[in-house]
Amino acid sequence: MDLGIAGRRAIVMASSAGLGLACARSLAREGVHVVLNGRDGARLATAVDDLRRTAAGDVTNVVGDVGTEATRAALLDACPEPDILVTNNGGPPPGSFARWDRADWIGAIDANLLAPLLMIRDSVDGMAARRFGRIVNLTSAMVKSPRSPMGLSAAARTGLVSVCKGLARDYASSNVTINHLLPERIDTGRQRQMAELAVAVQGVTLEQAYADIADTIAAKRLGRPEEVGELCAYLCSAQAGFVSGQSIQVDGASSEAIF
């Protein structure tokens, strides 16, 4: 299916690896001109080279931490009139509620609530004026199914979803959509981090840790990054203009929630 977005311009935050890169790859294959971003310049350069092999649009990049105002400004300098914004950032590590101090909470809020909201603030009115905009927030299944070790992530990302739910209503009449992808158990570096934590805490092998993780999923396998990327591309499509304010779980049917 032609998604009708060839020639559109996109910023994909934190996209040198993992789900951000998967989303960027799916958009680039549709002919979208994509600006990648990451803190590690070498890894980002590798990602750009990789995408250019299959991209039907231009691929450029901005090195930096999207938690900083300077990097966000540089992204908008590189793409002053984005049609598509995919917000993303590395999540805080799991931990213990009893041990988190104020700096831990502020760090999570800065990275996973304020950074995306500020990019949305600086992009969404231009989208509305041009009568086309697609915003996709990569969040986490913890938004709907919180677990205490992931409390930092759940707090910040649930706040993002809540603010954007209201914004979605404000901008729907301008053909600007705002949606959220809630992945869980996707085979990325983040999932490897969780598997390695199990190795350290439980004393199992890495292979067993992965097997144990897969066993918790109704589909009995980890999700593939491209499964998230392709769904992101659809939400950015011309055809998805009537889908907004939604939080879509990508979790192999693992959630027990109805909604």
Side-chain angles (χ1 to χ4, degrees):
M1 176 170 48
D2 180 355
L3 297 184
I5 49 177
R8 296 288 186 183
R9 299 168 300 273
I11 295 172
V12 185
M13 299 164 63
S15 50
S16 62
L19 297 183
L21 179 56
C23 292
R25 179 177 289 112
S26 293
L27 290 171
R29 284 175 177 166
E30 291 295 323
V32 176
H33 306 307
V34 178
V35 180
L36 298 183
N37 159 251
R39 289 173 286 184
D40 185 325
R43 185 166 70 175
L44 185 58
T46 299
V48 170
D49 289 343
D50 177 44
L51 253 64
R52 284 176 175 165
R53 296 188 183 99
T54 58
D58 298 333
V59 181
T60 57
N61 71 92
V62 170
V63 179
D65 179 355
V66 292
T68 68
E69 184 177 353
T71 299
R72 294 192 297 270
L75 283 167
L76 289 168
D77 284 343
C79 184
E81 295 186 341
D83 303 298
I84 294 166
L85 172 64
V86 180
T87 79
N88 185 40
N89 206 356
S96 168
F97 178 76
R99 296 183 179 179
W100 289 324
D101 59 18
R102 187 175 188 277
D104 294 319
W105 290 104
I106 294 300
I109 290 168
D110 275 342
N112 300 116
L113 173 61
L114 295 181
L117 282 180
L118 291 170
M119 280 295 292
I120 292 169
R121 180 200 65 184
D122 293 340
S123 304
V124 68
D125 285 337
M127 293 176 176
R130 295 187 297 275
R131 304 290 300 177
F132 184 93
R134 301 289 185 263
I135 297 171
V136 178
N137 299 311
L138 293 178
T139 62
S140 165
M142 296 299 104
V143 168
K144 288 188 179 182
S145 303
R147 300 289 186 271
S148 62
M150 302 300 294
L152 295 174
S153 175
R157 286 170 161 158
T158 302
L160 174 63
V161 169
S162 180
V163 173
C164 288
K165 180 68 173 180
L167 290 176
R169 294 178 61 86
D170 294 343
Y171 286 94
S173 63
S174 297
N175 191 31
V176 176
T177 67
I178 308 176
N179 291 292
H180 320 278
L181 290 180
L182 281 56
E184 185 175 24
R185 304 293 194 264
I186 311 298
D187 193 7
T188 65
R190 173 73 163 177
Q191 196 57 58
R192 185 177 181 88
Q193 180 186 35
M194 301 302 290
E196 289 173 344
L197 180 64
V199 171
V201 172
Q202 301 171 19
V204 298
T205 66
L206 187 62
E207 292 75 14
Q208 186 60 52
Y210 270 108
D212 291 344
I213 291 168
D215 196 49
T216 68
I217 304 168
K220 298 304 176 187
R221 67 172 177 86
L222 272 67
R224 296 185 294 273
E226 59 269 26
E227 292 175 308
V228 178
E230 292 297 289
L231 180 53
C232 177
Y234 172 73
L235 291 175
C236 296
S237 71
Q239 293 90 332
F242 208 58
V243 181
S244 193
Q246 302 306 305
S247 296
I248 303 170
Q249 291 176 266
V250 189
D251 64 2
S254 295
S255 173
E256 297 179 359
I258 296 175
F259 302 108

PDB file of all heavy atoms in Angstrom, residues 96-123:
ATOM      1  N   SER A  96      14.488   0.454  42.314  1.00  0.00           N
ATOM      2  CA  SER A  96      13.665   0.302  43.514  1.00  0.00           C
ATOM      3  C   SER A  96      13.102   1.647  43.930  1.00  0.00           C
ATOM      4  O   SER A  96      13.836   2.630  44.069  1.00  0.00           O
ATOM      5  CB  SER A  96      14.514  -0.266  44.657  1.00  0.00           C
ATOM      6  OG  SER A  96      13.840  -0.165  45.896  1.00  0.00           O
ATOM      7  N   PHE A  97      11.805   1.690  44.169  1.00  0.00           N
ATOM      8  CA  PHE A  97      11.152   2.914  44.601  1.00  0.00           C
ATOM      9  C   PHE A  97      11.829   3.490  45.845  1.00  0.00           C
ATOM     10  O   PHE A  97      12.004   4.711  45.964  1.00  0.00           O
ATOM     11  CB  PHE A  97       9.673   2.633  44.882  1.00  0.00           C
ATOM     12  CG  PHE A  97       8.907   3.821  45.387  1.00  0.00           C
ATOM     13  CD1 PHE A  97       8.516   4.831  44.521  1.00  0.00           C
ATOM     14  CD2 PHE A  97       8.578   3.929  46.726  1.00  0.00           C
ATOM     15  CE1 PHE A  97       7.809   5.933  44.989  1.00  0.00           C
ATOM     16  CE2 PHE A  97       7.871   5.021  47.210  1.00  0.00           C
ATOM     17  CZ  PHE A  97       7.487   6.030  46.330  1.00  0.00           C
ATOM     18  N   ALA A  98      12.234   2.630  46.752  1.00  0.00           N
ATOM     19  CA  ALA A  98      12.839   3.092  48.001  1.00  0.00           C
ATOM     20  C   ALA A  98      14.181   3.791  47.787  1.00  0.00           C
ATOM     21  O   ALA A  98      14.615   4.571  48.641  1.00  0.00           O
ATOM     22  CB  ALA A  98      13.016   1.911  48.956  1.00  0.00           C
ATOM     23  N   ARG A  99      14.816   3.520  46.667  1.00  0.00           N
ATOM     24  CA  ARG A  99      16.155   4.066  46.431  1.00  0.00           C
ATOM     25  C   ARG A  99      16.188   5.256  45.484  1.00  0.00           C
ATOM     26  O   ARG A  99      17.220   5.908  45.345  1.00  0.00           O
ATOM     27  CB  ARG A  99      17.066   2.965  45.904  1.00  0.00           C
ATOM     28  CG  ARG A  99      17.292   1.843  46.910  1.00  0.00           C
ATOM     29  CD  ARG A  99      18.259   0.814  46.378  1.00  0.00           C
ATOM     30  NE  ARG A  99      18.494  -0.251  47.361  1.00  0.00           N
ATOM     31  CZ  ARG A  99      19.288  -1.293  47.153  1.00  0.00           C
ATOM     32  NH1 ARG A  99      19.929  -1.412  45.995  1.00  0.00           N
ATOM     33  NH2 ARG A  99      19.434  -2.214  48.083  1.00  0.00           N
ATOM     34  N   TRP A 100      15.094   5.542  44.807  1.00  0.00           N
ATOM     35  CA  TRP A 100      15.096   6.665  43.874  1.00  0.00           C
ATOM     36  C   TRP A 100      15.036   7.968  44.644  1.00  0.00           C
ATOM     37  O   TRP A 100      14.186   8.149  45.533  1.00  0.00           O
ATOM     38  CB  TRP A 100      13.902   6.577  42.920  1.00  0.00           C
ATOM     39  CG  TRP A 100      14.023   5.470  41.927  1.00  0.00           C
ATOM     40  CD1 TRP A 100      15.153   5.020  41.318  1.00  0.00           C
ATOM     41  CD2 TRP A 100      12.952   4.655  41.410  1.00  0.00           C
ATOM     42  NE1 TRP A 100      14.861   3.991  40.459  1.00  0.00           N
ATOM     43  CE2 TRP A 100      13.528   3.744  40.497  1.00  0.00           C
ATOM     44  CE3 TRP A 100      11.578   4.615  41.633  1.00  0.00           C
ATOM     45  CZ2 TRP A 100      12.764   2.811  39.804  1.00  0.00           C
ATOM     46  CZ3 TRP A 100      10.815   3.685  40.954  1.00  0.00           C
ATOM     47  CH2 TRP A 100      11.400   2.791  40.039  1.00  0.00           C
ATOM     48  N   ASP A 101      15.920   8.890  44.297  1.00  0.00           N
ATOM     49  CA  ASP A 101      15.883  10.201  44.930  1.00  0.00           C
ATOM     50  C   ASP A 101      15.330  11.235  43.946  1.00  0.00           C
ATOM     51  O   ASP A 101      14.922  10.905  42.832  1.00  0.00           O
ATOM     52  CB  ASP A 101      17.270  10.602  45.449  1.00  0.00           C
ATOM     53  CG  ASP A 101      18.327  10.661  44.352  1.00  0.00           C
ATOM     54  OD1 ASP A 101      17.964  10.735  43.156  1.00  0.00           O
ATOM     55  OD2 ASP A 101      19.525  10.629  44.691  1.00  0.00           O
ATOM     56  N   ARG A 102      15.329  12.476  44.366  1.00  0.00           N
ATOM     57  CA  ARG A 102      14.740  13.524  43.540  1.00  0.00           C
ATOM     58  C   ARG A 102      15.433  13.631  42.182  1.00  0.00           C
ATOM     59  O   ARG A 102      14.772  13.821  41.148  1.00  0.00           O
ATOM     60  CB  ARG A 102      14.812  14.864  44.266  1.00  0.00           C
ATOM     61  CG  ARG A 102      14.078  15.984  43.547  1.00  0.00           C
ATOM     62  CD  ARG A 102      14.081  17.274  44.362  1.00  0.00           C
ATOM     63  NE  ARG A 102      13.228  18.267  43.751  1.00  0.00           N
ATOM     64  CZ  ARG A 102      13.586  19.078  42.749  1.00  0.00           C
ATOM     65  NH1 ARG A 102      14.812  18.982  42.243  1.00  0.00           N
ATOM     66  NH2 ARG A 102      12.733  19.956  42.250  1.00  0.00           N
ATOM     67  N   ALA A 103      16.745  13.468  42.163  1.00  0.00           N
ATOM     68  CA  ALA A 103      17.484  13.559  40.900  1.00  0.00           C
ATOM     69  C   ALA A 103      17.049  12.467  39.928  1.00  0.00           C
ATOM     70  O   ALA A 103      16.982  12.699  38.710  1.00  0.00           O
ATOM     71  CB  ALA A 103      18.983  13.463  41.162  1.00  0.00           C
ATOM     72  N   ASP A 104      16.752  11.281  40.417  1.00  0.00           N
ATOM     73  CA  ASP A 104      16.278  10.198  39.554  1.00  0.00           C
ATOM     74  C   ASP A 104      14.944  10.568  38.903  1.00  0.00           C
ATOM     75  O   ASP A 104      14.747  10.366  37.695  1.00  0.00           O
ATOM     76  CB  ASP A 104      16.117   8.908  40.356  1.00  0.00           C
ATOM     77  CG  ASP A 104      17.436   8.362  40.862  1.00  0.00           C
ATOM     78  OD1 ASP A 104      18.429   8.405  40.103  1.00  0.00           O
ATOM     79  OD2 ASP A 104      17.486   7.908  42.021  1.00  0.00           O
ATOM     80  N   TRP A 105      14.034  11.102  39.713  1.00  0.00           N
ATOM     81  CA  TRP A 105      12.718  11.470  39.177  1.00  0.00           C
ATOM     82  C   TRP A 105      12.831  12.613  38.175  1.00  0.00           C
ATOM     83  O   TRP A 105      12.205  12.577  37.101  1.00  0.00           O
ATOM     84  CB  TRP A 105      11.765  11.859  40.322  1.00  0.00           C
ATOM     85  CG  TRP A 105      11.358  10.693  41.159  1.00  0.00           C
ATOM     86  CD1 TRP A 105      11.811  10.372  42.412  1.00  0.00           C
ATOM     87  CD2 TRP A 105      10.428   9.667  40.803  1.00  0.00           C
ATOM     88  NE1 TRP A 105      11.218   9.217  42.854  1.00  0.00           N
ATOM     89  CE2 TRP A 105      10.358   8.762  41.896  1.00  0.00           C
ATOM     90  CE3 TRP A 105       9.642   9.418  39.690  1.00  0.00           C
ATOM     91  CZ2 TRP A 105       9.536   7.637  41.894  1.00  0.00           C
ATOM     92  CZ3 TRP A 105       8.821   8.296  39.679  1.00  0.00           C
ATOM     93  CH2 TRP A 105       8.780   7.420  40.770  1.00  0.00           C
ATOM     94  N   ILE A 106      13.620  13.622  38.508  1.00  0.00           N
ATOM     95  CA  ILE A 106      13.773  14.755  37.600  1.00  0.00           C
ATOM     96  C   ILE A 106      14.423  14.316  36.284  1.00  0.00           C
ATOM     97  O   ILE A 106      14.033  14.761  35.201  1.00  0.00           O
ATOM     98  CB  ILE A 106      14.603  15.867  38.256  1.00  0.00           C
ATOM     99  CG1 ILE A 106      13.845  16.454  39.454  1.00  0.00           C
ATOM    100  CG2 ILE A 106      14.944  16.968  37.256  1.00  0.00           C
ATOM    101  CD1 ILE A 106      12.508  17.068  39.110  1.00  0.00           C
ATOM    102  N   GLY A 107      15.408  13.421  36.364  1.00  0.00           N
ATOM    103  CA  GLY A 107      16.052  12.931  35.159  1.00  0.00           C
ATOM    104  C   GLY A 107      15.078  12.216  34.238  1.00  0.00           C
ATOM    105  O   GLY A 107      15.108  12.408  33.014  1.00  0.00           O
ATOM    106  N   ALA A 108      14.211  11.383  34.824  1.00  0.00           N
ATOM    107  CA  ALA A 108      13.222  10.672  34.012  1.00  0.00           C
ATOM    108  C   ALA A 108      12.231  11.631  33.381  1.00  0.00           C
ATOM    109  O   ALA A 108      11.867  11.491  32.202  1.00  0.00           O
ATOM    110  CB  ALA A 108      12.493   9.644  34.878  1.00  0.00           C
ATOM    111  N   ILE A 109      11.798  12.615  34.133  1.00  0.00           N
ATOM    112  CA  ILE A 109      10.827  13.585  33.616  1.00  0.00           C
ATOM    113  C   ILE A 109      11.447  14.427  32.506  1.00  0.00           C
ATOM    114  O   ILE A 109      10.817  14.679  31.472  1.00  0.00           O
ATOM    115  CB  ILE A 109      10.301  14.456  34.771  1.00  0.00           C
ATOM    116  CG1 ILE A 109       9.399  13.606  35.682  1.00  0.00           C
ATOM    117  CG2 ILE A 109       9.541  15.669  34.242  1.00  0.00           C
ATOM    118  CD1 ILE A 109       9.055  14.270  36.991  1.00  0.00           C
ATOM    119  N   ASP A 110      12.693  14.863  32.696  1.00  0.00           N
ATOM    120  CA  ASP A 110      13.364  15.642  31.655  1.00  0.00           C
ATOM    121  C   ASP A 110      13.481  14.853  30.354  1.00  0.00           C
ATOM    122  O   ASP A 110      13.213  15.379  29.268  1.00  0.00           O
ATOM    123  CB  ASP A 110      14.766  16.049  32.122  1.00  0.00           C
ATOM    124  CG  ASP A 110      14.762  17.319  32.952  1.00  0.00           C
ATOM    125  OD1 ASP A 110      13.769  18.065  32.901  1.00  0.00           O
ATOM    126  OD2 ASP A 110      15.759  17.558  33.658  1.00  0.00           O
ATOM    127  N   ALA A 111      13.895  13.586  30.469  1.00  0.00           N
ATOM    128  CA  ALA A 111      14.183  12.786  29.275  1.00  0.00           C
ATOM    129  C   ALA A 111      12.935  12.266  28.587  1.00  0.00           C
ATOM    130  O   ALA A 111      12.870  12.226  27.348  1.00  0.00           O
ATOM    131  CB  ALA A 111      15.098  11.625  29.652  1.00  0.00           C
ATOM    132  N   ASN A 112      11.948  11.851  29.358  1.00  0.00           N
ATOM    133  CA  ASN A 112      10.832  11.101  28.784  1.00  0.00           C
ATOM    134  C   ASN A 112       9.481  11.808  28.838  1.00  0.00           C
ATOM    135  O   ASN A 112       8.506  11.279  28.313  1.00  0.00           O
ATOM    136  CB  ASN A 112      10.720   9.738  29.457  1.00  0.00           C
ATOM    137  CG  ASN A 112      11.964   8.903  29.283  1.00  0.00           C
ATOM    138  OD1 ASN A 112      12.648   8.577  30.250  1.00  0.00           O
ATOM    139  ND2 ASN A 112      12.302   8.578  28.050  1.00  0.00           N
ATOM    140  N   LEU A 113       9.444  12.984  29.441  1.00  0.00           N
ATOM    141  CA  LEU A 113       8.230  13.805  29.425  1.00  0.00           C
ATOM    142  C   LEU A 113       8.505  15.160  28.771  1.00  0.00           C
ATOM    143  O   LEU A 113       7.900  15.514  27.761  1.00  0.00           O
ATOM    144  CB  LEU A 113       7.686  14.003  30.841  1.00  0.00           C
ATOM    145  CG  LEU A 113       6.504  14.981  30.983  1.00  0.00           C
ATOM    146  CD1 LEU A 113       5.302  14.502  30.188  1.00  0.00           C
ATOM    147  CD2 LEU A 113       6.131  15.165  32.455  1.00  0.00           C
ATOM    148  N   LEU A 114       9.453  15.909  29.322  1.00  0.00           N
ATOM    149  CA  LEU A 114       9.667  17.268  28.827  1.00  0.00           C
ATOM    150  C   LEU A 114      10.317  17.305  27.446  1.00  0.00           C
ATOM    151  O   LEU A 114       9.931  18.136  26.608  1.00  0.00           O
ATOM    152  CB  LEU A 114      10.510  18.056  29.832  1.00  0.00           C
ATOM    153  CG  LEU A 114       9.839  18.304  31.186  1.00  0.00           C
ATOM    154  CD1 LEU A 114      10.753  19.100  32.091  1.00  0.00           C
ATOM    155  CD2 LEU A 114       8.503  19.019  31.015  1.00  0.00           C
ATOM    156  N   ALA A 115      11.301  16.448  27.184  1.00  0.00           N
ATOM    157  CA  ALA A 115      11.960  16.472  25.877  1.00  0.00           C
ATOM    158  C   ALA A 115      10.961  16.267  24.737  1.00  0.00           C
ATOM    159  O   ALA A 115      10.930  17.061  23.780  1.00  0.00           O
ATOM    160  CB  ALA A 115      13.086  15.448  25.817  1.00  0.00           C
ATOM    161  N   PRO A 116      10.111  15.239  24.789  1.00  0.00           N
ATOM    162  CA  PRO A 116       9.135  15.104  23.697  1.00  0.00           C
ATOM    163  C   PRO A 116       8.101  16.222  23.663  1.00  0.00           C
ATOM    164  O   PRO A 116       7.735  16.692  22.589  1.00  0.00           O
ATOM    165  CB  PRO A 116       8.493  13.736  23.953  1.00  0.00           C
ATOM    166  CG  PRO A 116       8.834  13.369  25.344  1.00  0.00           C
ATOM    167  CD  PRO A 116      10.103  14.051  25.669  1.00  0.00           C
ATOM    168  N   LEU A 117       7.627  16.652  24.840  1.00  0.00           N
ATOM    169  CA  LEU A 117       6.612  17.701  24.843  1.00  0.00           C
ATOM    170  C   LEU A 117       7.137  19.003  24.245  1.00  0.00           C
ATOM    171  O   LEU A 117       6.419  19.708  23.526  1.00  0.00           O
ATOM    172  CB  LEU A 117       6.110  17.949  26.269  1.00  0.00           C
ATOM    173  CG  LEU A 117       5.121  16.933  26.824  1.00  0.00           C
ATOM    174  CD1 LEU A 117       4.722  17.314  28.248  1.00  0.00           C
ATOM    175  CD2 LEU A 117       3.885  16.796  25.939  1.00  0.00           C
ATOM    176  N   LEU A 118       8.380  19.336  24.534  1.00  0.00           N
ATOM    177  CA  LEU A 118       8.937  20.572  24.001  1.00  0.00           C
ATOM    178  C   LEU A 118       9.130  20.493  22.483  1.00  0.00           C
ATOM    179  O   LEU A 118       8.940  21.493  21.772  1.00  0.00           O
ATOM    180  CB  LEU A 118      10.251  20.904  24.706  1.00  0.00           C
ATOM    181  CG  LEU A 118      10.088  21.316  26.180  1.00  0.00           C
ATOM    182  CD1 LEU A 118      11.435  21.388  26.883  1.00  0.00           C
ATOM    183  CD2 LEU A 118       9.348  22.644  26.301  1.00  0.00           C
ATOM    184  N   MET A 119       9.492  19.312  21.976  1.00  0.00           N
ATOM    185  CA  MET A 119       9.577  19.151  20.523  1.00  0.00           C
ATOM    186  C   MET A 119       8.196  19.241  19.880  1.00  0.00           C
ATOM    187  O   MET A 119       8.036  19.843  18.804  1.00  0.00           O
ATOM    188  CB  MET A 119      10.236  17.819  20.172  1.00  0.00           C
ATOM    189  CG  MET A 119      11.742  17.834  20.270  1.00  0.00           C
ATOM    190  SD  MET A 119      12.551  18.947  19.065  1.00  0.00           S
ATOM    191  CE  MET A 119      12.187  18.102  17.527  1.00  0.00           C
ATOM    192  N   ILE A 120       7.214  18.655  20.525  1.00  0.00           N
ATOM    193  CA  ILE A 120       5.844  18.749  20.012  1.00  0.00           C
ATOM    194  C   ILE A 120       5.391  20.208  20.016  1.00  0.00           C
ATOM    195  O   ILE A 120       4.821  20.699  19.031  1.00  0.00           O
ATOM    196  CB  ILE A 120       4.897  17.866  20.845  1.00  0.00           C
ATOM    197  CG1 ILE A 120       5.223  16.383  20.627  1.00  0.00           C
ATOM    198  CG2 ILE A 120       3.439  18.154  20.488  1.00  0.00           C
ATOM    199  CD1 ILE A 120       4.528  15.452  21.599  1.00  0.00           C
ATOM    200  N   ARG A 121       5.651  20.904  21.115  1.00  0.00           N
ATOM    201  CA  ARG A 121       5.267  22.321  21.206  1.00  0.00           C
ATOM    202  C   ARG A 121       5.829  23.132  20.041  1.00  0.00           C
ATOM    203  O   ARG A 121       5.145  23.989  19.466  1.00  0.00           O
ATOM    204  CB  ARG A 121       5.760  22.896  22.526  1.00  0.00           C
ATOM    205  CG  ARG A 121       5.424  24.372  22.742  1.00  0.00           C
ATOM    206  CD  ARG A 121       6.326  25.005  23.778  1.00  0.00           C
ATOM    207  NE  ARG A 121       7.727  25.039  23.348  1.00  0.00           N
ATOM    208  CZ  ARG A 121       8.719  25.475  24.116  1.00  0.00           C
ATOM    209  NH1 ARG A 121       8.488  25.884  25.346  1.00  0.00           N
ATOM    210  NH2 ARG A 121       9.968  25.486  23.646  1.00  0.00           N
ATOM    211  N   ASP A 122       7.065  22.868  19.681  1.00  0.00           N
ATOM    212  CA  ASP A 122       7.745  23.664  18.656  1.00  0.00           C
ATOM    213  C   ASP A 122       7.446  23.195  17.233  1.00  0.00           C
ATOM    214  O   ASP A 122       7.928  23.813  16.282  1.00  0.00           O
ATOM    215  CB  ASP A 122       9.256  23.648  18.907  1.00  0.00           C
ATOM    216  CG  ASP A 122       9.639  24.389  20.185  1.00  0.00           C
ATOM    217  OD1 ASP A 122       8.826  25.218  20.652  1.00  0.00           O
ATOM    218  OD2 ASP A 122      10.733  24.135  20.711  1.00  0.00           O
ATOM    219  N   SER A 123       6.672  22.131  17.086  1.00  0.00           N
ATOM    220  CA  SER A 123       6.374  21.581  15.756  1.00  0.00           C
ATOM    221  C   SER A 123       4.897  21.626  15.393  1.00  0.00           C
ATOM    222  O   SER A 123       4.549  21.772  14.220  1.00  0.00           O
ATOM    223  CB  SER A 123       6.845  20.119  15.676  1.00  0.00           C
ATOM    224  OG  SER A 123       8.204  19.975  15.992  1.00  0.00           O
TER     225      SER A 123
END
